[in-house]
Amino acid sequence: MISKEEFLLKAYKLGIIKFGNFTLKSGIQSPFYVDLRPIASDPELLKELSQQLLNLLKKSCYDLICGVPYAALPMATAMSLDSGTPLIIKRKESKGYGTKKMLEGIFKSGQTCVLVEDVITSGKSLIETIEEVEKEGLRIKDIVVVLDREQGGVSLLKEKGYNVYNLFTIEEVVDLLYKNNLLSQEELQNIKNFLKSTPIVTAQVKSSRLTYEEKAALQSHPAAKKILEIAIKKKSNLIASLDVSTTQEVLQLAETIGDTIVAVKLHTDIIKDFSEEYVIKLKSIANKKNFLLFEDRKFGDIGNTQQMQFEGGLYKISDWADLITSHVIAGEDSLKIFDSKVGIITIAEMSSSATLTDENYKKRAIEISENISNVIGCVAQSKLPSSLLLFTPGVNLNSIKDKKGQNFNTPEKVFDKNHTDFIIVGRGIYKSTDPKKEALKYQKSGWEAYLKNISI
Ligand code: 5BU
């Protein structure tokens, strides 16, 4: 491998940096212009660049490489060939949802992907790529960049928790060129003044999370379509978890807060006086107030037992639940026994401290969920691929944890960080002295967080 300086001088000869007076995309007048694309016209130099970039990543662990389109594509390809790491390709053009994929190549959610970028200015293109890649369930920890124009992009990405490794900063480049008599003192000063005086640009990026309308168009299961339609109609993404112990309390709460929610989530096995009559009354309130019935049964057994638990026993869940939760612990076949009418929500990741649902578990849970047609989404505490709806429990506006292992986040946080679809609130509502007022508060706060999430 040649030195960085030698590499730069060879690249300079190809015309990757020009000095003069240039108008940038942003309208700013710049005394230099950088374009790294010519490097691909010199295969030896491209190979050299790939080695330099791989060297920056020598302490990183990753399964895949992805270049930010288009300029970094040859670089990422060369790195893939050099390192034997599979390449994935991100499309630049927008696609008709449900028809073409945004990421091409073979990958599985949960894998770690390194991003490669040629020049970073505000970080906008990188953030767009990150959103697309993470949406498919891939993890990004490291980003490698050939040149940092020192305009705010690197700090923005670091703030967001990514490691950014850059081969050069623009300052280093001009210093090296000056040292090699390729730049006059005056030009050097001119550039340095420009760098000092140019305002830091903050990337304004359109969020790439899908809207409820877009998700409804993607979903084929009736329960998924229904919950999204209710969300749009009621301007609510709130699921109330009514973890109370009598049918009277459930019915009363359902009646009181029914207008503000998309579903009532239940743990029917904690109710003392369950009866068929209760189910009839609850269904009638659900119809009147337009919300779904969601039994949080968390099935976790072999298919044969789960089927008996779902269809039989006291509760006959299959008779009335629109949605149910199930673990994936017993493997894919155990999930195939549920009636196709019920929407299954798998448990991919739990909200409790020290849960065993680590990254690898989540990755496998997502794979299984994507293979079963009536799985409509997952319970998780981080982003999911856009084909699955994300249901987030552990939401509370007033607490950060309880004393039994539960962790809470605010609606704003789970939308902002995880692009959730539905918030699940238990004690925040049913334990309050005024559940109606509190449900309205969560409805409003969840909806505002969603609107903010789709607009930024
Ligand atoms: P809370 O009172 O807001 O903590 O109630 C949360 C509800 O969501 C409760 O019924 C839990 O059983 C449920 N839950 C959860 O809190 N965390 C998880 O990871 C899963 C379910 Br899965």
Side-chain angles (χ1 to χ4, degrees):
M1 199 164 69
I2 57 175
S3 70
K4 263 172 70 171
E5 182 167 350
E6 232 178 301
F7 170 80
L8 178 72
L9 296 177
K10 286 191 175 184
Y12 176 76
K13 280 197 194 134
L14 294 177
I16 59 151
I17 182 160
K18 295 196 167 67
F19 301 101
N21 202 1
F22 303 93
T23 309
L24 302 180
K25 238 193 291 176
S26 54
I28 294 174
Q29 294 291 314
S30 167
F32 62 90
Y33 181 77
V34 185
D35 177 6
L36 301 186
R37 272 169 281 220
I39 296 177
S41 304
D42 182 337
E44 276 308 309
L45 204 61
L46 181 63
K47 206 167 169 187
E48 188 54 47
L49 176 60
S50 146
Q51 280 161 13
Q52 298 273 351
L53 297 177
L54 286 169
N55 189 43
L56 293 177
L57 292 168
K58 61 177 185 276
K59 290 203 179 120
S60 310
C61 288
Y62 47 92
D63 308 305
L64 302 161
I65 296 183
C66 178
V68 177
Y70 290 109
L73 294 188
M75 299 171 193
T77 310
M79 289 168 74
S80 162
L81 291 172
D82 260 0
S83 62
T85 309
L87 181 80
I88 52 169
I89 298 171
K90 190 215 159 245
R91 287 175 171 277
K92 196 178 169 89
E93 68 276 26
S94 60
K95 53 158 195 163
Y97 288 110
T99 50
K100 275 187 259 152
K101 291 186 287 183
M102 278 309 260
L103 278 189
E104 301 290 350
I106 300 172
F107 58 88
K108 285 185 187 155
S109 38
Q111 285 186 305
T112 303
C113 181
V114 157
L115 292 187
V116 186
E117 174 67 303
D118 62 336
V119 180
I120 180 166
T121 308
S122 69
K124 183 174 183 283
S125 321
L126 260 168
I127 287 182
E128 281 168 3
T129 303
I130 290 171
E131 295 263 351
E132 286 298 336
V133 173
E134 288 186 343
K135 222 162 61 185
E136 296 300 328
L138 295 176
R139 297 178 66 212
I140 296 168
K141 285 193 283 188
D142 303 312
I143 298 166
V144 71
V145 176
V146 182
L147 177 71
D148 173 12
R149 280 189 65 127
E150 299 176 290
Q151 305 252 253
V154 171
S155 12
L156 180 81
L157 290 163
K158 285 188 174 165
E159 263 166 43
K160 289 185 177 283
Y162 302 101
N163 302 319
V164 186
Y165 303 98
N166 53 288
L167 191 56
F168 297 103
T169 60
I170 186 66
E171 188 129 22
E172 264 182 282
V173 168
V174 290
D175 283 342
L176 284 172
L177 294 178
Y178 175 68
K179 187 179 144 206
N180 286 277
N181 301 320
L182 295 163
L183 211 58
S184 69
Q185 168 86 41
E186 196 192 331
E187 281 173 314
L188 178 74
Q189 207 45 54
N190 204 359
I191 293 166
K192 293 214 168 180
N193 289 345
F194 166 79
L195 290 173
K196 254 191 235 139
S197 62
T198 326
I200 297 294
V201 278
T202 313
Q204 294 291 325
V205 186
K206 163 111 183 66
S207 163
S208 62
R209 79 150 285 151
L210 302 186
T211 62
Y212 292 135
E213 285 81 358
E214 286 166 331
K215 291 214 170 188
L218 260 186
Q219 294 289 338
S220 55
H221 194 278
K225 279 195 180 296
K226 187 82 200 280
I227 197 167
L228 289 162
E229 279 162 19
I230 300 175
I232 296 163
K233 187 152 183 219
K234 287 188 172 171
K235 296 195 185 332
S236 171
N237 43 53
L238 174 61
I239 295 175
S241 187
L242 302 184
D243 302 336
V244 289
S245 57
T246 64
T247 56
Q248 197 200 352
E249 286 169 282
V250 174
L251 296 174
Q252 228 166 40
L253 280 162
E255 185 74 49
T256 316
I257 64 169
D259 292 329
T260 58
I261 57 176
V262 293
V264 154
K265 186 176 85 62
L266 300 153
H267 287 291
T268 301
D269 55 1
I270 61 178
I271 291 173
K272 289 187 226 161
D273 55 337
F274 179 87
S275 67
E276 282 180 15
E277 196 194 338
Y278 152 76
V279 172
I280 295 168
K281 284 187 185 159
L282 184 59
K283 272 173 106 170
S284 132
I285 301 174
N287 277 336
K288 183 174 74 180
K289 302 267 178 189
N290 194 23
F291 60 76
L292 299 186
L293 295 179
F294 174 178
E295 172 60 19
D296 190 5
R297 173 62 179 76
K298 297 189 184 72
F299 293 94
D301 213 315
I302 57 165
N304 189 53
T305 307
Q306 299 205 136
Q307 186 163 19
M308 294 193 283
Q309 290 168 325
F310 177 55
E311 294 168 4
L314 258 188
Y315 311 128
K316 297 190 180 59
I317 297 167
S318 61
D319 280 359
W320 53 268
D322 302 297
L323 304 169
I324 52 153
T325 48
S326 179
H327 284 292
V328 292
I329 189 82
E332 203 167 312
D333 285 347
S334 69
L335 288 159
K336 293 185 181 154
I337 56 86
F338 296 112
D339 187 298
S340 63
K341 287 198 295 290
V342 75
I344 307 169
I345 296 160
T346 56
I347 313 296
E349 193 178 19
M350 295 194 69
S351 59
S352 43
S353 300
T355 170
L356 302 187
T357 55
D358 59 11
E359 268 307 315
N360 190 46
Y361 186 93
K362 183 187 166 201
K363 174 179 143 188
R364 299 296 310 279
I366 291 173
E367 276 165 27
I368 292 175
S369 304
E370 285 180 317
N371 284 341
I372 310 266
S373 63
N374 55 330
V375 171
I376 67 163
C378 305
V379 175
Q381 297 293 323
S382 51
K383 280 182 188 156
L384 289 181
S386 46
S387 57
L388 293 165
L389 298 174
L390 174 54
F391 295 80
T392 309
V395 173
N396 197 298
L397 284 163
N398 304 312
S399 310
I400 53 165
K401 50 167 74 173
D402 69 8
K403 292 192 177 124
K404 301 173 196 169
Q406 175 73 304
N407 295 307
F408 292 116
N409 287 300
T410 60
E412 182 161 10
K413 174 111 182 264
V414 294
F415 271 96
D416 191 35
K417 191 168 146 274
N418 304 337
H419 293 182
T420 197
D421 292 302
F422 297 100
I423 52 170
I424 298 176
V425 182
R427 284 162 285 182
I429 293 173
Y430 73 80
K431 281 270 189 200
S432 114
T433 48
D434 190 345
K436 185 167 188 170
K437 192 169 139 214
E438 221 48 27
L440 271 166
K441 203 153 113 187
Y442 280 97
Q443 176 195 8
K444 191 163 175 278
S445 138
W447 193 256
E448 279 170 4
Y450 161 71
L451 291 180
K452 191 169 153 217
N453 206 205
I454 57 170
S455 68
I456 46 164

